[in-house]
């Protein structure tokens, strides 16, 4: 049986190397397996929960779309589309709201984190929470369940969302009989959450990222901002430091072994960062050329996404028809 793979990234900022190693690279690798049908999309309506500026929406949308293409997404092999083009998604979203206990949403990590922060600050627990944010996991479940998805490649931080999608599918099937496929996450065991410039998780929301596609000078500047301890040149460094972790991602095994040894032998942070920039830039450069090409040919990107949406819509209509039949709104 062919397996269906689906994943999305929301355009809430510029794609960074955490997105690349955590989500994009593993998803592109999966798409090379002929036994998999892949559906990758840009979750623009998920971005609305935090983004409310039309220029930023467009800017980040094309940044993420061109990133996928530059990183090797082949539109002949992958159905590549924009979430907001698939109207069926929003119909399924509403249907799923009705089999989702409110308590399940109260336990979602992103919402819980805001409530905890608000409580610490002594302000209303729901301050700054809109219903889009609160219901975020239900729309994500709709994204996934609408395509009979088997596997969802994501970074570790998204694991709970996939579990919620499974729970929602399970609830639906419990009420209406077996109809929706219960998906699984696909999280690469060797793939750890990348740490950002300030030592927290690298995230668009924390403004602590190393952008995947910028000019060389900006890439260098970001790399020189990676936090380090205050050990001087000549003093042995910790192999567990961020600079070493990042170096490993871009370098060959031999280069990485030598770099780690040099750090243990007291390589200075300045030199270490210079070497990190060199391997990172070598890795990113060929993709950057493609990225720049697509950014200058947005009409090609639009065409690819439109064709993808037509293919995605076909599947979405079939699954939604099955759901409507199960709940009795068919005719
Ligand atoms: P961000 O936190 O920057 O807004 P998203 O939530 O849009 O990123 O995540 C898009 C994908 O990239 C998800 O699959 C997520 O797990 C992955 N991802 C995001 N940040 C990291 C990170 N620091 N390390 C590994 N994977 C990440
Ligand atoms: N919530 C995901 C993120 O922040 C983005 C996303 C939306 C997604 N819908 C999805 C990921 C469906 C996988 C499947 O990264």
């Amino acid at each position: 049986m062919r397996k269906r793979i689906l994943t999305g990234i929301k355009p809430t900022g510029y794609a960074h190397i955490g997105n690349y190693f955590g989500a994009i690279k593993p998803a592109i690798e999966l798409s090379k397996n002929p036994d998999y049908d892949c559906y990758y999309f840009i979750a623009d309506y998920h971005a609305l929960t935090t983004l409310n500026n039309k220029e930023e929406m467009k800017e980040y949308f094309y940044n993420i779309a061109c990133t996928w293409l530059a990183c090797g997404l082949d539109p002949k092999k992958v159905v590549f589309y924009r979430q907001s083009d698939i109207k069926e998604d929003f119909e399924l979203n509403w249907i799923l709201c009705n089999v989702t206990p409110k308590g399940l949403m109260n336990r979602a990590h992103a919402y819980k984190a805001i409530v905890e922060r608000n409580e610490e600050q002594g302000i209303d627990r729901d301050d700054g929470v809109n219903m889009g944010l609160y219901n975020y996991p239900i729309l994500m479940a709709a994204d996934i369940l609408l395509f009979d998805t088997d596997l969802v490649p994501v970074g570790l931080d998204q694991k709970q969302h996939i579990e919620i999608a499974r729970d929602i599918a399970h609830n639906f099937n419990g009420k209406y009989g077996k109809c929706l496929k219960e998906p699984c996450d696909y999280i690469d065991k060797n793939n750890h959450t990348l740490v950002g410039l300030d030592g927290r998780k690298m995230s668009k929301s924390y403004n602590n990222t190393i952008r995947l596609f910028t000019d060389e000078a900006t890439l260098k500047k970001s790399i020189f901002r990676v936090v380090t301890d205050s050990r001087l040149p000549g003093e042995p460094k910790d192999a567990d430091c961020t600079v070493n972790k990042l170096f490993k991602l871009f370098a060959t095994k031999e280069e990485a072994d030598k770099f780690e040894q040099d750090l243990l032998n007291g390589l200075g942070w300045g030199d270490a960062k210079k070497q990190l920039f060199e391997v990172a830039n070598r890795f990113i450069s060929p993709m950057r050329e493609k990225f720049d090409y697509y950014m200058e040919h947005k009409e090609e990107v639009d065409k690819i996404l439109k064709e993808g949406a037509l293919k995605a819509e076909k599947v979405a209509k079939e699954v939604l028809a099955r759901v409507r039949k199960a709940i009795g709104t068919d005719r």
Side-chain angles (χ1 to χ4, degrees):
M1 258 300 259
R2 290 176 71 80
K3 281 205 186 307
R4 183 151 300 157
I5 319 292
L6 175 141
T7 197
I9 296 186
K10 55 185 194 297
T12 45
Y14 296 107
H16 55 78
I17 60 171
N19 297 142
Y20 178 74
F21 288 104
I24 299 173
K25 184 167 173 261
I28 303 269
E29 271 159 20
L30 283 175
S31 75
K32 293 182 182 149
N33 183 330
D35 292 334
Y36 294 158
D37 274 334
C38 297
Y39 286 67
Y40 299 165
F41 67 98
I42 300 157
D44 54 348
Y45 275 7
H46 270 118
L48 274 183
T49 61
T50 52
L51 191 76
N52 26 52
N53 172 304
K54 65 181 175 190
E55 275 79 32
E56 278 181 359
M57 175 62 97
K58 284 196 199 303
E59 170 88 6
Y60 298 148
F61 171 75
Y62 283 110
N63 178 273
I64 302 292
C66 296
T67 294
W68 272 112
L69 293 165
C71 294
L73 183 150
D74 177 355
K76 287 196 231 42
K77 293 206 184 104
V78 175
V79 179
F80 184 43
Y81 58 98
R82 181 178 194 152
Q83 179 188 37
S84 59
D85 280 340
I86 312 298
K87 306 295 176 239
E88 291 73 13
D89 200 13
F90 309 103
E91 186 171 337
L92 183 61
N93 173 60
W94 175 253
I95 296 169
L96 296 181
C97 281
N98 298 283
V99 292
T100 306
K102 181 167 173 284
L104 191 61
M105 295 302 96
N106 291 340
R107 290 192 290 278
H109 293 324
Y111 171 68
K112 247 174 76 177
I114 297 179
V115 169
E116 277 163 18
R117 202 185 55 207
N118 286 344
E119 279 173 346
E120 265 166 34
Q121 292 174 1
I123 52 182
D124 187 281
R125 64 199 304 276
D126 282 325
D127 193 73
V129 177
N130 61 46
M131 289 308 292
L133 190 142
Y134 189 67
N135 287 333
Y136 185 109
I138 310 181
L139 180 57
M140 183 154 161
D143 296 336
I144 298 170
L145 304 179
L146 188 59
F147 291 93
D148 285 336
T149 303
D150 294 286
L151 292 179
V152 188
V154 279
L156 196 58
D157 60 311
Q158 293 297 312
K159 191 176 170 62
Q160 190 199 30
H161 281 149
I162 318 300
E163 283 161 7
I164 291 176
R166 275 181 79 83
D167 284 350
I168 293 178
H170 187 77
N171 290 349
F172 186 94
N173 292 341
K175 259 196 184 155
Y176 295 107
K178 188 144 182 43
C179 176
L180 293 173
K181 187 173 264 180
E182 296 176 23
C184 294
D185 59 57
Y186 173 88
I187 299 172
D188 194 339
K189 306 262 168 323
N190 307 316
N191 214 333
H192 304 292
T193 300
L194 251 73
V195 172
L197 298 177
D198 58 357
R200 289 191 290 173
K201 173 199 167 224
M202 185 178 291
S203 170
K204 299 183 220 110
S205 341
Y206 297 153
N207 200 12
N208 64 353
T209 68
I210 297 178
R211 261 170 77 171
L212 188 53
F213 297 121
T214 49
D215 54 84
E216 289 187 11
T218 314
L219 177 64
K220 196 176 216 167
K221 235 196 250 155
S222 304
I223 287 179
F224 274 80
R225 277 177 53 212
V226 173
V227 280
T228 52
D229 57 30
S230 52
R231 277 179 252 187
L232 297 170
E235 290 183 63
K237 310 292 182 297
D238 196 343
D240 206 34
C241 65
T242 309
V243 174
N244 195 27
K245 282 187 196 148
L246 292 174
F247 193 91
K248 282 197 175 82
L249 296 169
F250 299 109
T252 63
K253 169 96 178 62
E254 293 71 44
E255 288 169 337
D257 288 347
K258 174 163 188 318
F259 185 75
E260 181 164 314
Q261 201 49 54
D262 289 350
L263 282 173
L264 295 173
N265 291 337
L267 180 69
W269 289 125
D271 287 336
K273 286 180 176 178
K274 216 186 296 147
Q275 290 186 35
L276 172 58
F277 164 73
E278 270 150 28
V279 287
N281 193 45
R282 181 187 70 194
F283 186 96
I284 294 171
S285 286
M287 300 195 290
R288 189 193 290 127
E289 272 176 36
K290 284 205 208 167
F291 177 82
D292 293 343
Y293 171 85
Y294 283 113
M295 284 299 283
E296 278 158 29
H297 295 81
K298 295 206 177 78
E299 68 296 340
E300 271 184 46
V301 179
D302 287 335
K303 186 164 171 273
I304 291 171
L305 288 167
K306 266 202 193 118
E307 285 169 6
L310 288 177
K311 289 186 214 159
E313 208 179 35
K314 209 167 148 257
V315 179
K317 280 191 191 315
E318 282 166 21
V319 176
L320 187 65
R322 201 169 73 213
V323 168
R324 290 186 64 145
K325 194 161 175 214
I327 62 178
T329 55
D330 59 327
R331 56 175 75 80

